[in-house]
């Protein structure tokens, strides 16, 4: 039987894969697992937030019922970004937090993400405990032991104040377009930027429950690029549905991806003495250009598997302060326990303001090498690491590319395919090598 929890919680089509019954069961099991050891006479508390998907309404009701029925007091936060729920889990001293969102996925999807005490993502082992607890018979709370449910009217205000205060400077004079993806950032991102002093043009800020991520946000940057040019803005910021990501567009229309944002922030923090152990944590998919630029700046780069949970694990283990992914998941551990798109956008604009340089100029901190990715389907991905033919082909390609390129062969974690990624100094060379290796994957693993 497949594991219920994926790389970022439980996700599926709401009402079909992710039903109210399943959501209630997950919540009740999480309550039992995450409140073990609660002192006698102490009532455990959980905070619950969601993005504006229509399905979030019935899933929120199910989760709240599961928690309260298990004896947990519930604070409903309403529509807020995932990082806001993580922050408020820690700030309120809650035992855990629950976020209902499918991030950048289309509106029919939804998901359940759970944060432990302190607003940290749960380890795999704890998620497995929750899944196991779902199969156990357990009597619900009764009488005075039933959890109580209240709404928090000040959650958004507390979160906005937190991210703005973390900046420690003003953004006066900057004109910014922010694309909220018709998602959880719609109510808080424009307000946070305005309080920091920026002139703000908000787009994708009218969620109706069905238009989340639809032609907008971090997965559709053409919309933001057009708006930046139309309004003569200094920069544009794009979030995804739950606002744990941030990508950017410079005034000239060029895209500033997560690698470039990480490079800019790493150098800013290094100069300010805030880059812990002078180290940046990235995934194996980060562009070689970022790693070369960081090496030149004297910054150590630690690589992890793909997934922000692995970035976070490495950051906690090494006591590092900055890490993230090319996709725009950026973790500023001095201010957040998870990727935070609003926080990232504010600190990126802070660098623009401090330096007095255009975002496009700052992005030149690294030269992004051409990167070609080919997904090879219909092959036995389990044999990707044991094929002598593929190993030999990869070795030959790496020798051919030398220090100006690299090869990554990675079985997909969620689909029956193998990903072939090649970087090289020239795009045509990267394409040729990638296609050659994809052919080897098909012949060796088909």
């Amino acid at each position: 039987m497949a594991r219920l929890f994926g790389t970022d919680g439980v996700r599926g089509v709401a009402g079909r894969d992710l039903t109210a019954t399943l959501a209630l069961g997950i919540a009740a099991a999480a309550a039992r697992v995450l409140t073990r050891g609660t002192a006698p006479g102490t009532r455990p508390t959980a905070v619950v937030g969601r993005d504006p998907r229509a399905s979030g309404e019935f899933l929120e009701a199910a989760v709240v019922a599961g928690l309260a029925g298990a004896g947990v007091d519930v604070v409903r936060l309403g529509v807020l970004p995932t990082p806001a729920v993580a922050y408020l889990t820690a700030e309120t001293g809650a035992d855990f937090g629950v976020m209902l969102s499918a991030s950048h996925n289309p509106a029919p999807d939804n998901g359940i993400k759970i944060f432990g005490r302190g607003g940290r993502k749960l380890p795999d082992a704890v998620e497995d405990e929750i899944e196991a607890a779902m199969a156990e018979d357990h009597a619900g709370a009764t009488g005075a032991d039933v959890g109580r449910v209240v709404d928090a009217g000040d959650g958004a205000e507390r979160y906005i104040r937190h991210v703005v205060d973390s900046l420690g400077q003003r953004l006066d004079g900057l004109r910014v377009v922010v694309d909220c993806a018709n998602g959880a950032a719609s109510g808080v991102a424009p307000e946070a930027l305005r309080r920091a002093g920026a002139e703000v043009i908000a787009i994708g800020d009218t969620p109706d429950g069905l238009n989340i991520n639809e032609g907008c946000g971090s997965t559709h940057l053409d919309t933001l690029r057009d708006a930046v040019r139309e309004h003569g803005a200094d920069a544009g910021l794009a979030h995804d549905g739950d606002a744990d990501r941030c990508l950017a567009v410079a005034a000239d229309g060029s895209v500033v991806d997560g690698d470039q944002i990480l490079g800019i922030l790493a150098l800013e923090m290094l100069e300010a003495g805030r880059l812990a152990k002078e180290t940046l944590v990235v995934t194996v998919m980060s562009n070689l250009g970022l790693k070369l630029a960081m090496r030149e700046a004297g910054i150590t780069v630690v690589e992890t598997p793909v997934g922000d949970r692995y970035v976070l694990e490495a950051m906690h283990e090494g006591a590092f302060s900055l890490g993230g992914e090319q996709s725009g998941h950026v973790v500023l551990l001095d201010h957040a326990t998870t990727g935070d798109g609003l926080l990232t956008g504010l600190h990126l604009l802070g660098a623009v303001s401090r330096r007095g340089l255009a975002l496009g100029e700052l992005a030149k901190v690294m030269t992004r090498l051409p990167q070609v990715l080919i997904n090879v389907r219909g092959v036995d991905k389990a044999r990707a690491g044991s094929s002598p033919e593929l190993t030999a082909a990869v070795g030959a390609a790496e020798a051919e590319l030398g220090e100006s390129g690299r090869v990554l062969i990675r079985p997909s974690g969620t689909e029956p395919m193998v990903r072939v990624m090649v970087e090289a100094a020239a795009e045509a060379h990267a394409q040729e090598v990638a296609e050659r290796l994809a052919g080897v994957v098909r012949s060796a693993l088909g």
Side-chain angles (χ1 to χ4, degrees):
M1 183 176 175
R3 187 172 184 267
L4 179 63
F5 284 86
T7 55
D8 199 15
V10 179
R11 193 174 295 188
V13 177
R16 186 181 70 194
D17 307 316
L18 184 54
T19 63
T21 301
L22 178 59
L24 189 150
I26 292 170
R32 295 195 295 274
V33 171
L34 297 176
T35 60
R36 289 173 183 162
T38 301
T42 302
R43 291 292 290 268
T45 302
V47 298
V48 177
R50 63 181 180 90
D51 72 22
R53 292 166 208 264
S55 61
E57 297 168 4
F58 82 79
L59 289 172
E60 177 191 57
V63 166
V64 170
L67 296 176
V72 176
D73 288 340
V74 181
V75 179
R76 284 190 301 211
L77 301 173
V79 174
L80 280 179
T82 290
V85 174
Y87 168 72
L88 290 166
T89 300
E91 201 263 346
T92 62
D95 292 274
F96 61 100
V98 181
M99 176 67 185
L100 298 163
S101 176
S103 190
H104 59 282
N105 285 24
D109 293 350
N110 217 318
I112 299 176
K113 305 179 185 182
I114 303 175
F115 295 97
R117 190 175 281 106
R120 292 178 60 165
K121 289 194 173 184
L122 301 181
D124 288 349
V126 176
E127 290 180 341
D128 290 341
E129 285 186 63
I130 293 172
E131 190 166 342
M134 292 176 65
E136 300 170 357
D137 290 329
H138 197 279
T142 60
D145 292 331
V146 169
R148 306 302 297 270
V149 182
V150 298
D151 292 316
D154 63 346
E157 172 60 30
R158 291 160 81 170
Y159 172 63
I160 290 170
R161 190 163 57 239
H162 162 66
V163 293
V164 173
D165 288 349
S166 77
L167 186 58
Q169 67 175 93
R170 299 281 297 170
L171 300 178
D172 299 294
L174 290 181
R175 175 179 291 180
V176 181
V177 178
V178 59
D179 186 341
C180 303
N182 289 318
S186 299
V188 293
E191 177 62 20
L193 288 164
R194 290 188 181 106
R195 287 199 199 177
E199 178 187 348
V200 180
I201 299 99
I203 62 175
D205 63 332
T206 54
D208 62 9
L210 301 175
N211 60 358
I212 189 168
N213 299 315
E214 189 176 89
C216 56
S218 61
T219 53
H220 298 86
L221 291 174
D222 286 347
T223 304
L224 178 61
R225 182 187 288 115
D226 291 345
V228 167
R229 288 171 171 162
E230 177 188 349
H231 294 282
D234 298 291
L237 303 175
H239 301 300
D240 59 339
D242 69 336
D244 62 355
R245 296 188 190 190
C246 177
L247 295 178
V249 170
D252 62 3
S254 60
V255 172
V256 181
D257 69 10
D259 284 342
Q260 292 166 301
I261 293 171
L262 285 166
I264 293 168
L265 295 181
L267 293 183
E268 291 293 304
M269 292 172 66
L270 179 68
E271 183 175 305
R274 292 185 287 104
L275 186 65
K277 300 183 181 179
E278 300 183 352
T279 296
L280 172 65
V281 181
V282 301
T283 76
V284 293
M285 288 300 291
S286 279
N287 195 277
L288 179 59
L290 172 62
K291 297 164 190 175
L292 294 175
M294 295 299 96
R295 181 195 303 170
E296 185 175 341
I299 294 173
T300 300
V301 175
V302 171
E303 283 189 345
T304 76
V306 174
D308 65 321
R309 64 160 46 208
Y310 302 113
V311 171
L312 276 162
E313 285 175 8
M315 293 179 71
H316 286 299
E317 288 173 6
F320 304 129
S321 55
L322 179 64
E325 298 184 276
Q326 194 178 64
S327 62
H329 277 115
V330 174
V331 182
L332 291 153
L333 210 52
D334 289 340
H335 307 293
T337 60
T338 189
D340 189 326
L342 273 68
L343 193 69
T344 300
L346 284 165
H347 284 257
L348 179 64
L349 294 174
V352 171
S353 181
R354 280 191 301 274
R355 296 292 178 185
L357 294 172
L359 177 58
E361 285 298 309
L362 284 183
K364 293 177 182 177
V365 63
M366 60 169 279
T367 300
R368 188 164 46 191
L369 295 183
Q371 189 179 79
V372 173
L373 177 66
I374 298 177
N375 294 322
V376 185
R377 299 178 183 274
V379 297
D380 183 0
K381 66 179 183 179
R383 294 193 292 119
S386 59
S387 167
E389 183 182 352
L390 182 56
T391 299
V394 169
E398 289 175 336
E400 177 184 332
L401 293 168
E403 291 192 359
S404 62
R406 69 182 181 120
V407 173
L408 180 65
I409 307 292
R410 185 172 70 88
S412 170
T414 57
E415 298 179 77
M417 66 183 180
V418 172
R419 303 186 194 279
V420 177
M421 191 277 286
V422 176
E423 289 174 341
E427 185 168 4
H429 192 194
Q431 186 72 41
E432 188 273 325
V433 173
E435 290 177 355
R436 187 197 318 158
L437 289 173
V440 176
V441 169
R442 291 186 188 98
S443 64
L445 307 180

